[in-house]
Amino acid sequence: SQQGEEDPQALSIQEGENATMNCSYKTSINNLQWYRQNSGRGLVHLILIRSNEREKHSGRLRVTLDTSKKSSSLLITASRAADTASYFCATENTNAGKSTFGDGTTLTVKP
Amino acid sequence: GAGVSQSPSNKVTEKGKDVELRCDPISGHTALYWYRQSLGQGLEFLIYFQGNSAPDKSGLPSDRFSAERTGGSVSTLTIQRTQQEDSAVYLCASSLWNVGLDGYTFGSGTRLTVV
């Protein structure tokens, strides 16, 4: 099974609302990354949080990491229609050298 | 180059034929990764390179799949005797070292369709 699992699988909100996506994982990690994928395109890196960090911000994005619960959340504030995309978390496991991706959350922001 | 370049962007091939997919990473990125993504699914790890060596080939689905990287730069993923289940988008990514500070930079992918 995937190391990272996103929840919910799909999320639909109105423009201006906040969107929260969650990611759970199973084993010890070096870091956790969030990516966005627009339909039919490659993935774009959004933010990376290291295992010794608890929270990170980038513009309208806020990522939290709780290593005791093996979970992370991505919050997008004041969402826009252009935020409509799939969002993936990826974990780099200790000594793995590669990152493992979840199945993603599909976010739809209605104008 | 400015980004990760993959070619071809689309490939339609007949079942049983061999295909080669190319990835040209960002100049200076030592780590290179291949993933594949089936329609509406997450990313499945295939193989990654540090320089020209591949420390982890565990994701290659069968011995029909192979990959090489030469000169610490361009990588080629080869699929022999293609099957319909090989149809997917094959994504390449590179990073400065492992995931580095800025995560992976992905190419736009090669959409492979086996008919």
Side-chain angles (χ1 to χ4, degrees), chain A residues 34-108:
Chain A
W34 284 93
Y35 292 83
R36 182 185 73 223
Q37 183 179 38
N38 290 89
S39 180
R41 309 287 288 273
L43 279 76
V44 174
H45 176 253
L46 296 175
I47 201 163
L48 180 153
I49 187 165
R50 301 200 175 278
S51 60
N52 61 352
E53 296 175 312
R54 291 297 166 258
E55 187 169 314
K56 252 183 137 167
H57 297 253
S58 176
R60 293 184 296 113
L61 306 180
R62 173 180 166 242
V63 168
T64 63
L65 178 64
D66 187 336
T67 53
S68 67
K69 294 181 179 177
K70 291 187 167 58
S71 68
S72 172
S73 67
L74 170 66
L75 168 68
I76 304 174
T77 59
S79 63
R80 305 166 182 168
D83 295 329
T84 294
S86 292
Y87 291 82
F88 294 87
C89 71
T91 54
E92 183 186 64
N93 303 346
T94 307
N95 298 321
K98 66 180 189 287
S99 291
T100 305
F101 286 76
D103 289 335
T105 292
T106 300
L107 173 66
T108 302

Side-chain angles (χ1 to χ4, degrees), chain B residues 4-53:
Chain B
V4 176
S5 178
Q6 291 189 247
S7 61
S9 55
N10 280 285
K11 177 72 176 178
V12 179
T13 190
E14 291 181 352
K15 179 182 170 181
K17 299 276 178 137
D18 298 352
V19 294
E20 280 191 357
L21 312 180
R22 176 188 168 107
C23 173
D24 200 343
I26 290 176
S27 178
H29 277 194
T30 59
L32 184 148
Y33 309 81
W34 284 100
Y35 290 84
R36 74 176 175 182
Q37 185 178 30
S38 299
L39 189 63
Q41 301 294 311
L43 275 68
E44 176 189 1
F45 169 77
L46 298 178
I47 186 171
Y48 93 94
F49 291 89
Q50 272 290 359
N52 291 336
S53 64

